Amino acid sequence: MNTSVIEAIERQKTTNLYDASKSIPDDEIRELVRLATFSPTAFHLQNWRFIAVRSPEAKARLRAVAANQPKVTEAAVTFIMVGELAVADVMADRLAGSVAAGFMPVEMVPGWEAAAKSLYFEKPQTQRDEAIRSATFGASGLIHAAQAMGLGTTPMIGFDPVGVSREFSLSDNEVPALLVAVGYPTEANWPQKPRRPILDVLAFA
């Protein structure tokens, strides 16, 4: 059992107040995203994008369509977690690395394409659901990576998706699923909030 991973999970908490004077270097932002991309996606679609909003001008635009939440501008960077609508057309490209690595036979790719097509083709709600799921998995990975770097995070759903799509030029096949603010927490933040009892949330079947 990896106790360090368990301890990290148990220490995880949401940051509400950030030290706006501290920034995160671009190389660390890239490393956060690299680590986040180890999160799983259905069919290995990797149907996500991470928009790192870090310039004052871009933060101001995002805050204007995110209920004017101070965290957007006070955090060092706020990520827009973008999910791509799930489609089978990209399957060969997304699996190319596994084929090149030698553990996935190229003959297996059409079967994965067919399975994905049967699940997503002409099913806009399912495509969108998968986009949200993938972006959320990516956000979770981002949150844990930030914690490992000594940073605080805030997942946020209070924003206008149409406004975010407009301000940051998202394409028609992209969905802004959530925002994740990342930065240096101040000492004024609350401690971790208590969780519901396991008996209230667990059922065995």
Side-chain angles (χ1 to χ4, degrees), residues 143-189:
I143 287 167
H144 287 298
Q147 182 192 15
M149 292 185 180
L151 301 166
T153 58
T154 315
M156 305 161 67
I157 60 170
F159 63 90
D160 171 18
V162 174
V164 169
S165 297
R166 179 189 65 247
E167 291 296 324
F168 294 88
S169 303
L170 270 60
S171 64
D172 291 342
N173 73 324
E174 293 183 318
V175 180
L178 71 159
L179 310 178
V180 180
V182 181
Y184 290 89
T186 70
E187 294 183 0
N189 281 282

Side-chain angles (χ1 to χ4, degrees), residues 108-124:
M108 189 178 290
V109 174
W112 282 45
E113 288 177 320
K117 185 173 183 179
S118 69
L119 186 60
Y120 303 126
F121 185 64
E122 295 186 343
K123 296 177 183 177

Side-chain angles (χ1 to χ4, degrees), residues 2 10 19 26 28 48 52-53 65 86 92-93 102 120 122 125 129 137 156 162 164 168 171 174 181-182 192 200:
N2 192 326
E10 290 178 334
D19 184 343
D26 286 0
E28 288 188 22
W48 48 31
V53 181
V65 290
D93 176 67
Y120 303 126
E122 295 186 343
Q125 185 63 53
D129 289 347
F137 278 135
M156 305 161 67
V162 174
V164 169
F168 294 88
S171 64
E174 293 183 318
V182 181
Q192 186 189 67
D200 290 355

Side-chain angles (χ1 to χ4, degrees), residues 27-40:
D27 284 349
E28 288 188 22
I29 292 174
R30 293 187 186 96
E31 179 64 2
L32 284 170
V33 173
R34 187 188 74 83
L35 293 168
T37 60
F38 284 97
S39 303

Side-chain angles (χ1 to χ4, degrees), residues 17-24 59 73-77 183-186:
L17 301 169
Y18 290 92
D19 184 343
S21 69
K22 293 184 177 180
S23 60
I24 300 174
K59 285 181 177 179
T73 51
E74 291 173 358
V77 56
Y184 290 89
T186 70

Side-chain angles (χ1 to χ4, degrees), residues 85-101:
L85 299 180
V87 294
D89 299 356
V90 300
M91 188 70 68
D93 176 67
R94 305 291 162 85
L95 296 178
S98 301
V99 173

Side-chain angles (χ1 to χ4, degrees), residues 10-83:
E10 290 178 334
R11 289 196 308 269
Q12 176 61 45
K13 66 177 183 178
T14 297
T15 297
N16 194 51
L17 301 169
Y18 290 92
D19 184 343
S21 69
K22 293 184 177 180
S23 60
I24 300 174
D26 286 0
D27 284 349
E28 288 188 22
I29 292 174
R30 293 187 186 96
E31 179 64 2
L32 284 170
V33 173
R34 187 188 74 83
L35 293 168
T37 60
F38 284 97
S39 303
T41 54
F43 297 102
H44 198 53
L45 283 171
Q46 305 169 79
N47 53 320
W48 48 31
R49 279 206 303 137
F50 302 70
I51 301 177
V53 181
R54 58 179 177 76
S55 72
E57 179 273 333
K59 285 181 177 179
R61 284 193 289 122
L62 181 58
R63 181 167 171 171
V65 290
N68 197 35
Q69 296 180 78
K71 293 183 284 289
V72 173
T73 51
E74 291 173 358
V77 56
T78 297
F79 289 90
I80 304 172
M81 299 301 305
V82 180

